[in-house]
Amino acid sequence: MNRLEVTEKIISTKVAKGIKWSDVADKVGLSKEWVTAGCLGQMTFDAKQAKVIGKIFGLTADEIKWLQVVPYKGSLPTPVPTDPLIYRWYEIVSVYGTTIKELIHEEFGDGIMSAIDFSMDIVRQPDPKGDRVNVVLSGKFLPYKQY
Amino acid sequence: MNRLEVTEKIISTKVAKGIKWSDVADKVGLSKEWVTAGCLGQMTFDAKQAKVIGKIFGLTADEIKWLQVVPYKGSLPTPVPTDPLIYRWYEIVSVYGTTIKELIHEEFGDGIMSAIDFSMDIVRQPDPKGDRVNVVLSGKFLPYKQY
Amino acid sequence: MNRLEVTEKIISTKVAKGIKWSDVADKVGLSKEWVTAGCLGQMTFDAKQAKVIGKIFGLTADEIKWLQVVPYKGSLPTPVPTDPLIYRWYEIVSVYGTTIKELIHEEFGDGIMSAIDFSMDIVRQPDPKGDRVNVVLSGKFLPYKQY
Amino acid sequence: MNRLEVTEKIISTKVAKGIKWSDVADKVGLSKEWVTAGCLGQMTFDAKQAKVIGKIFGLTADEIKWLQVVPYKGSLPTPVPTDPLIYRWYEIVSVYGTTIKELIHEEFGDGIMSAIDFSMDIVRQPDPKGDRVNVVLSGKFLPYKQY
Amino acid sequence: MNRLEVTEKIISTKVAKGIKWSDVADKVGLSKEWVTAGCLGQMTFDAKQAKVIGKIFGLTADEIKWLQVVPYKGSLPTPVPTDPLIYRWYEIVSVYGTTIKELIHEEFGDGIMSAIDFSMDIVRQPDPKGDRVNVVLSGKFLPYKQY
Amino acid sequence: MNRLEVTEKIISTKVAKGIKWSDVADKVGLSKEWVTAGCLGQMTFDAKQAKVIGKIFGLTADEIKWLQVVPYKGSLPTPVPTDPLIYRWYEIVSVYGTTIKELIHEEFGDGIMSAIDFSMDIVRQPDPKGDRVNVVLSGKFLPYKQY
Amino acid sequence: MNRLEVTEKIISTKVAKGIKWSDVADKVGLSKEWVTAGCLGQMTFDAKQAKVIGKIFGLTADEIKWLQVVPYKGSLPTPVPTDPLIYRWYEIVSVYGTTIKELIHEEFGDGIMSAIDFSMDIVRQPDPKGDRVNVVLSGKFLPYKQY
Amino acid sequence: MNRLEVTEKIISTKVAKGIKWSDVADKVGLSKEWVTAGCLGQMTFDAKQAKVIGKIFGLTADEIKWLQVVPYKGSLPTPVPTDPLIYRWYEIVSVYGTTIKELIHEEFGDGIMSAIDFSMDIVRQPDPKGDRVNVVLSGKFLPYKQY
Amino acid sequence: MNRLEVTEKIISTKVAKGIKWSDVADKVGLSKEWVTAGCLGQMTFDAKQAKVIGKIFGLTADEIKWLQVVPYKGSLPTPVPTDPLIYRWYEIVSVYGTTIKELIHEEFGDGIMSAIDFSMDIVRQPDPKGDRVNVVLSGKFLPYKQY
Amino acid sequence: MNRLEVTEKIISTKVAKGIKWSDVADKVGLSKEWVTAGCLGQMTFDAKQAKVIGKIFGLTADEIKWLQVVPYKGSLPTPVPTDPLIYRWYEIVSVYGTTIKELIHEEFGDGIMSAIDFSMDIVRQPDPKGDRVNVVLSGKFLPYKQY
């Protein structure tokens, strides 16, 4: 058994039972973004959270243990994603990457925006010209240290 | 002459004169994100905006014309970026890509978040545990149409 | 179970029973292009459409549910397709890519031709020198917005 | 001297003088798609056409000769294009590739749609919900021959 | 079931029974090159030919149907082939590619040598210094058409 | 100076003076295929041949020396060629590669068809349905030796 | 002018004058690892440090400014390094990568070892069986945060 | 059976029984780094060590034999690792690679730091600003020999 | 069944029974290099040799037939090998490749060292400073022929 | 100035003056293999050797200094070499790689054959059936050490 098999079982069960990620997140008591990432095999649940997930998706004791093991991360099958929704995000990095770099450095100096001490919030913004997806990314600035 | 040469001249002049992107944006009258992307060769200025940019960076008439030509976009030298700041964004797409996809589809159905009818806002969020980079991405949801 | 398995079952059944895509499309009541793409695991059917497809191909209730789940899109096994028919399309993008870009920008300014608000129609055009494949692609023009 | 240098001179002159591709095509007396592709270094002009092009862009006698030499074709710098407009076309091939293949084979049997005995027409289709880019591709069907 | 499984069964049976490709071709009544390519999953048999193949290799009715379905072509596992015999052909394209291009263009003008309206004949040429493999490739010249 | 510069000068001069490869070959006294490959930087001329080439293309004494130096071979800029004429040859290797391998092994046993002790002849074959390009490849069979 | 040109000038001057990195570091007053990385175009100097560097390598005022601009990082020309010394480090990541991951997670839980809040110390360790290179890497552990 | 299957069984059992790598290492009597690498299929155990490992993880006699076979090394699924923890190490090689090269050569001359006569020690360094991961790498310097 | 399965069975049996390649070679009556390559699926045995191999590894009649079928060669899973022992050989080609080319051409003129009419002998050379691996490669020189 | 420029000057001069690598090696007093690799920018000369080289090729004082700087190694422009002579060596690694690994491990246990404590000798072996290239590679065996 491995984490991938647990992830596949979760997804399979989700489709068969019509479970929603936001409901799973409510039961775990954390954001829908982090919980979904965890169910998709990218994050590590603690024992209590894993038990909740296990109950929702009908996991065995061993499968619940796998949810608590740090996974090998990376959710995409190719370096450049082929799925159009995910590609648009890759395109933002490709087109705006140097812009993001310039502006963060102009404000903060040399360093990075953390992808670890990080959170993400995806919300619908109603708009008469067509609703929008609004995403807030928040990452701690980590300065390069001299030594 | 080509757009790349104009971009390189802009960057060269920026370093030599100590110009700030946010000041350039103020003079153009648009967001710092869009204006920086334009100066870095990713967006198209109209005649009036190009003139302002041209004045700031001491561009010739021909160079100002190039700012109004739609560029071949994509600002990174490799499919997987090597620069740590930009890589963290690639990593977010890699780790959270399937999560973003699931949650947008759960909320909106099949379709994408536009990278064209799109805006981005990068701000500093003071935090006693270390200031954070907050980025708001806003893209129109475009549903797949049946035909 | 996953979408790929449903797609493989559909294709397997199609060969075994000699089903035609155009007949499937007629029963679903949409174009042959969109319906075929859906059967090949690239589009999302609604409940009613999925039921029709399910009946044609003898799918189970769970398999019919999978037809309603947004798939991870991208139908080709390699970045540059090896199949000669599909390669010719890649070649058109490779040879004419910059031409298409120039002419759309000359007509519309900076922006893209949508691949989401998009339709395609493939028809046979009789020709004494050899019949032709005529394909009409129609995509909404989406202008880059300044902000 | 090589063809690439001639192409770059043509593009440079186009920007400096504000020449339009459709005007060039009118003077050559062929479609804007084929003429633009030729000016961008993908097609071969005959002596008379090359002379017209040479006059418009101020080319030397040697440069005019290069327009009549068959070029090494392929207009994109990377296998997967980074420019958003061109990428959308790549995405169409990626998402719809197997669909196009199935439907052409269903109609014509085994073979390909030629990219050589081929034409393309790009037009604006006014639409109250936003104008559309309509592209008609026409390629002779070439059946695989048994031997 | 899919075409690959049928191909693997054909190859397996060929080894187990010691069948020769040239004998298969004789029974089908076509060249050994085309018939072998078909048996290896690259070409499409008609009903009568498929029946002959099916009998030779002990295929089921469904497997015989798959021989009549246009396959996704491309017989090699990597873009640059590792097998020495096949690599030598890739090397010929790599070393002589520009030469072939120059000489065909010098003789015919701009266009291609078809790989669809195409035949190949592989024969042994006895030679006292060591027998040679002689291969005749014949492809229709297809000129680029202006439009 | 290096071989590439000599090759570029040869090509440049060829276009400027309207020289034909077949005429060059006649003067050298060898096949047009081998001589063209040499002029394109893939083969090594001896002193006498280099002198003839040098005279035709107006090369300096040093440039003539470079024609006699064994070049780093490989004439294509990418592993998968983008030029349609050359791609068709790559496609033949991709589609027919395993067929060629099977048939040579069936006739000769394990070994390869040499790309070194090799010749190629490209000729026009008149055909009322459209002239054909006929290419004869001849390579010595080299058997794997046991030891 | 760009940072790469400044880096090349520094390296050129170092060879011509026989400057040692450790001496440069002493004058800057920081570790030899960080200072060398900065001189090789990977780190950002402050005004005072840049002045010291500028004096040592005879840089102009503009070149000194470039040392204070955050560079696009990544010092290797290929994803898998070809240089044997650097490859051995890549090999350590390849062979021991999963081991490092397991042991850090066993000790710290889910998170990463920072490459930003990071230092490195390279020292010679005398050894009768052959001196050793000892490298101490120190990176802050950054735990994934739940949200 | 192959080594990969043995590795997967070891990992599976580790999760199911909650075994710690450091405890395994204690029982084997070697460092946790080397023993973990061995359990993950990168190193070769001797008969006695393999027996200890076999007992801990409930391996069969054949599986224990596989632990003593030299494995095909390389523990990562892609040339550039996607997992954030392992990527940071790749980033260190990418950003600091030329620095490491310069400093080792400055101290030792031309040669490499061995990845074979090599050891690694990973320890937690308590720090009030956040604990650190400290890693000591020790590799014998191997000078290039002239001959 | 295919050759890969036979190879895997051979390797599996070798580990289970503790068979040595040199003993296999002795029984076949050829060099250990050629026989090992054959057992690893890279060479073709004749009927008599295959029978010997089959007896040693307990192969079935069909498996013995597969040993006599010319395999698709290439024994490595990635273009750049990750295994350190094999990588060192790749490194020799990378570092010394142009040197080998220069020296063979200086001695023999244009041509290649055959990898088909080729033998290899790997021996231990005792050395007080540490035993050495000595490998003798012998390949027939094949000159490019003019035609 | 950089090492590449020095290498190119050496090669240029070699062609212009007709210098032979074996003569250069004689004057330096080392093997032709090591000296050629050094002249091609892969090895590091000491002051005395560099002076000899400098005299032969007419190098300046600065160019002679560059010969004493450890170069970034790797002499090939692509991961899989296109030059036929060098490719044959790559093919040997590809086809025989696992064989070499098995036999060295059978003789020596786990470890590698060094490419650093390494020498190579290329000689012509006269043979009535065609002279052979004989190459002796000698590398110290380096065992993996447990710790």
Side-chain angles (χ1 to χ4, degrees), chain J residues 54-97:
Chain J
K55 200 172 167 190
I56 297 172
F57 293 102
L59 305 182
T60 66
D62 265 17
E63 288 165 344
I64 288 172
K65 276 183 191 159
W66 271 102
L67 292 177
Q68 306 171 53
V69 174
V70 183
Y72 190 94
K73 298 179 173 74
S75 68
L76 304 176
T78 49
V80 178
T82 62
D83 182 80
L85 186 142
I86 301 177
Y87 182 82
R88 295 309 178 274
W89 280 70
Y90 179 79
E91 185 174 303
I92 291 167
V93 177
S94 170
V95 170
Y96 280 103

Side-chain angles (χ1 to χ4, degrees), chain A residues 96 99-100 102-103 106 132, chain B residues 20-40 43-45 49 52-53 56-57 116 118-123 135-138, chain C residues 144-147:
Chain A
Y96 280 103
T99 294
I100 294 167
E102 286 288 324
L103 293 176
E106 185 159 301
R132 300 181 77 80
Chain B
K20 300 195 78 168
W21 296 120
S22 50
D23 292 341
V24 178
D26 283 351
K27 283 180 189 156
V28 175
L30 288 168
S31 71
K32 65 184 183 307
E33 288 77 14
W34 194 87
V35 172
T36 304
C39 289
L40 295 176
M43 296 293 162
T44 314
F45 292 101
Q49 296 160 343
V52 176
I53 302 285
I56 297 172
F57 292 103
I116 307 297
F118 170 83
S119 67
M120 176 168 52
D121 188 27
I122 302 174
V123 294
V135 183
V136 182
L137 308 173
S138 171
Chain C
Y144 269 97
K145 297 244 176 98
Q146 301 187 332
Y147 53 92

Side-chain angles (χ1 to χ4, degrees), chain J residues 11-138:
Chain J
I11 295 174
S12 235
T13 308
K14 177 183 183 294
V15 172
K17 298 199 179 168
I19 297 165
K20 300 195 77 169
W21 295 120
S22 50
D23 292 340
V24 178
D26 283 350
K27 284 179 189 157
V28 175
L30 288 168
S31 71
K32 65 184 182 308
E33 289 76 13
W34 194 88
V35 172
T36 304
C39 289
L40 295 175
Q42 303 296 317
M43 296 292 161
T44 313
F45 292 101
D46 65 25
K48 198 176 150 191
Q49 297 161 343
K51 209 172 154 187
V52 176
I53 302 285
K55 200 172 167 190
I56 297 172
F57 293 102
L59 305 182
T60 66
D62 265 17
E63 288 165 344
I64 288 172
K65 276 183 191 159
W66 271 102
L67 292 177
Q68 306 171 53
V69 174
V70 183
Y72 190 94
K73 298 179 173 74
S75 68
L76 304 176
T78 49
V80 178
T82 62
D83 182 80
L85 186 142
I86 301 177
Y87 182 82
R88 295 309 178 274
W89 280 70
Y90 179 79
E91 185 174 303
I92 291 167
V93 177
S94 170
V95 170
Y96 280 103
T98 48
T99 294
I100 294 167
K101 182 176 170 65
E102 286 287 324
L103 293 176
I104 293 180
H105 291 326
E106 186 161 301
E107 177 65 31
F108 290 90
D110 200 356
I112 63 154
M113 169 183 164
S114 182
I116 307 296
D117 186 335
F118 171 84
S119 67
M120 176 167 54
D121 189 26
I122 303 174
V123 295
R124 176 194 285 262
Q125 178 194 312
D127 189 310
K129 283 176 292 183
D131 285 5
R132 301 180 75 81
V133 185
N134 270 205
V135 183
V136 182
L137 307 174
S138 171

